[in-house]
Amino acid sequence: MEKKTCIAMVPCPGQGHLIPLVEFAKTLIHQHNNLHLTLLIPTLGPPTPSIKAILNSLPPNIDFNILPHISIQDLPQNVHPAIHMKLTVTHSLPFLHEALTSLNTRTHLVALIFDVFSSDALHLANQFNILSYVFFTSGALTLSFCLSFPKLDETVSSQFIDSTKTVNVPGSIIPFQVKDLVDLVLYERSSEIYKIYLGLCQKLYFVDGIIVNSFTDMEAEAIRAVQEKTTFVDSPSVYPVGPIIGTGSTSKESQMECIQWLNNQPPKSVLYICFGSGGTITHDNLNEIAFGLELSGQKFLWVLRAPNNSASSSYLMGQMEDHLSYLPSGFLNRTKEQGLVVPSWAPQIEILSHGSTGGFLSHCGWNSTLESVVHSVPMIAWPLFAEQRMNAIVLTDVLKVAVRPKVDDQSSGIVKHEEIARVIKIIMEEEEGLQIRKRIKDLSDAAAVALSEHGSSTRALSILAHKFQNI
Ligand code: UDX
């Protein structure tokens, strides 16, 4: 019997990385159903209920194998989540090897697609003599920065942040202040985290291709830059296949309290607030948001996490306990007619696609950004870590689909409640907000065209699929 053509995929820990790879797998299999896909999943700690729910919704021609996990206690504490991601993948390599050996005997294994933070898997692809692709979960501009970084590194002596004030990223019409770049480059050049990031960027030049979750109308210049061999000599082909986002249409989610609450609100009246998979804000800013909401009088739906001074403190932990106690005293009582606070996690896609949602205060993670664009929800940009400041700048200054509140004091990062109320009013009520709404609707329409039968993203996906099928 002829063996099935199989592609193995390796996400990295972190829901914001797993979700788009799973959605990419579903899109690929939907359009090219003669392929067989297997997700090989490194995990930090046992899989959370939300990860299990994602995996249990996979169609039958996508398998998954959760590799034996590493425990957070076995990793260095108080380090950047990227170190945990990398160490988790390193720990998983022997299990990955075993899983690939088994797949290689049972199927016609042709390619390994891995998250950029799982690039340690590249040598396994080489060992098995199969194609290697990076699935890049951020946008093309961040990819352009990553491809530039090995060269930029040569200009650095001790700290990147000391070496230069602004950086021209190919594909960006505006230069970036160093402090706004991917946060991993702001560490000492000799630090582990800096070296890890540099290593990941260097590896991009050794894969057969890079799949990026973006589309032409959103990032035309950046996509052109990463595809141009004159800008990045010896770089692999880049396939913009986005926007790939979840559908979020499970009946269980529509039963949830927050969706039922939204059902009873007027159209486009609710500001949704969420800082991604596990982003956290300081206690001071949590209070300011609470008072800003009260001052604005705007309807709101707030996914609340325990505050922490480290913006990414709970990024890899998944579900957390209820932290409503951190809210200002009496807040829940005073706002019970105005809004709803949901601890830790909410069905974001269902919320963004709901007719009552009119704005999104977001940390500008790339998935949240694409989800807001697809559902035409204007944004308030509140970036926290990783590449989110770059995303926020593009959303506010280039695409003009977001407003950004002014930070009152740079050292504490505090944003005053009056300022929060001001941007809420802009996005939800004022003429400027209407213009933003119109621009994001245009972008959403362009996204639909990119994903249509002859659209640019569908074509990029078909080119890729043919490569896999013709081996
Ligand atoms: C980080 C990076 O900043 C991001 O750009 C990168 O691509 C992935 O890692 P993260 O905090 O995971 O971001 O945010 P984001 O990329 O927005 O992804 C979060 C995902 O979780 C989204 O798909 C969102 O819909 C989902 N989510 C989050 C929920 O469904 N409910 C929640 O309550 C919170």
Side-chain angles (χ1 to χ4, degrees), residues 87-103:
L87 293 177
T88 304
V89 176
T90 308
H91 159 87
S92 301
L93 285 176
F95 309 114
L96 263 177
H97 185 275
E98 211 175 291
L100 288 171
T101 307
S102 159
L103 274 177

Side-chain angles (χ1 to χ4, degrees), residues 257-269:
E257 184 199 4
C258 57
I259 301 299
Q260 289 178 352
W261 180 83
L262 276 176
N263 290 343
N264 293 321
Q265 307 308 320
K268 300 202 185 328
S269 65

Side-chain angles (χ1 to χ4, degrees), residues 420-438:
I420 295 168
R422 184 184 75 85
V423 291
I424 292 177
K425 201 162 183 310
I426 290 178
I427 209 91
M428 303 297 287
E429 290 176 20
E430 293 181 355
E431 176 57 30
E432 191 182 336
L434 285 178
Q435 294 305 320
I436 290 176
R437 199 171 294 279
K438 187 180 168 314

Side-chain angles (χ1 to χ4, degrees), residues 16-17 137 276-277 315 345-346 348 363 366-368 371 387-388:
H17 291 260
T137 56
S277 306
Y315 179 60
W345 193 260
Q348 178 157 306
H363 73 318
W366 192 246
N367 298 298
S368 295
E371 289 160 8
E387 88 297 22
Q388 294 157 12

Side-chain angles (χ1 to χ4, degrees), residues 259-317:
I259 301 299
Q260 289 178 352
W261 180 83
L262 276 176
N263 290 343
N264 293 321
Q265 307 308 320
K268 300 202 185 328
S269 65
V270 176
L271 176 75
Y272 169 57
I273 305 165
C274 182
F275 292 95
S277 306
T280 48
I281 53 175
T282 61
H283 201 181
D284 284 344
N285 273 335
L286 189 152
N287 279 328
E288 294 296 334
I289 290 181
F291 292 130
L293 287 168
E294 283 198 72
L295 184 64
S296 74
Q298 190 69 49
K299 297 260 181 192
F300 67 85
L301 173 53
W302 185 0
V303 181
L304 188 81
R305 304 223 165 88
N308 196 299
N309 287 345
S310 156
S312 57
S313 70
S314 55
Y315 179 60
L316 295 174
M317 311 295 188

